[in-house]
Amino acid sequence: TPAARSPSFTDALTLHHAGTLKVVPFRMGLRYDNPVGFTLVENLATGKPLSLAQPVSPKYAPATALTDGVLGGDDFHNGQWSGWNDADVDATIDLQKPTAIHAIAVDFLQDAGSRILPPHVVSFQVSSDGKHWATVDTEQPKADVMDSTAHQFHVAFKTAKPLSARYVRVLATRYATLPAGFPDGAANTWLFADEILVK
């Protein structure tokens, strides 16, 4: 946990490797808030151009949070989770050159009390030109939408033999219908995603 004599920075900090970073604000040598931790990851998609078919909600993290190299953590209010209300996720990353890809992954949240549900189906696609797509994996997270416990779903594609692609696409579709016991059905539900990892 950072102390008054720990290394400090002001508005910006340059980081050169992945790991866990903890920050605490100090003023005149006194700590005036609790530590906040950030998990930084190696990601081929970090800082690369990202396009979305449906924009993220302005109430939560901007789309850039999907490729900023920082994992979302447990709190969807922490500025690292992008949210879509009553919309599917359709995100395309331009790696800017043909790249050897071993894995694609993304995390989603479930917090039924806040009407946040994991996706019903997630597909990973790749392309060399951004027009013609090959689906490399389709996953259906095993979720109990009636579970009121808040937790994350890690959805991932891995391959032993790397594939080459310039573009990576993640499609996540929400539930069209929900059990009768879910209040107000599938209307006004959310998808929340954090870092789209490409390795």
Side-chain angles (χ1 to χ4, degrees):
T1 299
R5 294 185 180 183
S6 297
S8 64
F9 66 99
T10 53
D11 293 333
L13 177 65
T14 301
L15 301 169
H16 300 285
H17 55 82
T20 299
L21 174 70
K22 285 189 178 181
V23 295
V24 178
F26 280 83
R27 180 177 292 159
M28 299 177 64
L30 298 175
R31 188 178 94 178
Y32 65 96
D33 205 348
N34 294 321
V36 176
F38 300 92
T39 301
L40 313 172
V41 291
E42 299 286 351
N43 186 0
L44 295 173
T46 299
K48 298 296 192 293
L50 170 75
S51 60
L52 297 170
Q54 299 88 10
V56 300
S57 169
K59 295 180 181 179
Y60 299 99
T64 52
L66 298 169
T67 55
D68 64 358
V70 182
L71 295 184
D74 297 326
D75 180 6
F76 66 91
H77 292 289
N78 67 5
Q80 295 302 324
W81 288 94
S82 298
W84 292 259
N85 183 235
D86 283 338
D88 297 331
V89 177
D90 184 347
T92 300
I93 298 166
D94 180 0
L95 299 174
Q96 300 182 303
K97 63 181 180 180
T99 304
I101 297 171
H102 298 267
I104 308 167
V106 61
D107 287 342
F108 294 94
L109 282 181
Q110 177 170 340
D111 187 342
S114 297
R115 304 192 66 76
I116 301 169
L117 298 175
H120 182 56
V121 177
V122 179
S123 293
F124 298 109
Q125 300 180 352
V126 295
S127 172
S128 59
D129 59 7
K131 297 176 182 177
H132 303 91
W133 296 92
T135 299
V136 295
D137 192 25
T138 299
E139 299 285 337
Q140 190 167 352
K142 292 182 173 72
D144 175 2
V145 296
M146 301 301 292
D147 182 358
S148 60
T149 307
H151 52 276
Q152 297 181 27
F153 286 85
H154 182 72
V155 184
F157 156 75
K158 293 182 181 179
T159 178
K161 182 179 179 182
L163 51 89
S164 178
R166 172 174 170 172
Y167 297 90
V168 172
R169 188 178 187 186
V170 176
L171 299 167
T173 56
R174 59 199 170 93
Y175 285 88
T177 60
L178 291 169
F182 195 90
D184 301 321
N188 191 31
T189 55
W190 289 81
L191 286 176
F192 272 82
D194 77 343
E195 193 78 358
I196 298 174
L197 287 165
V198 181
K199 295 185 177 184

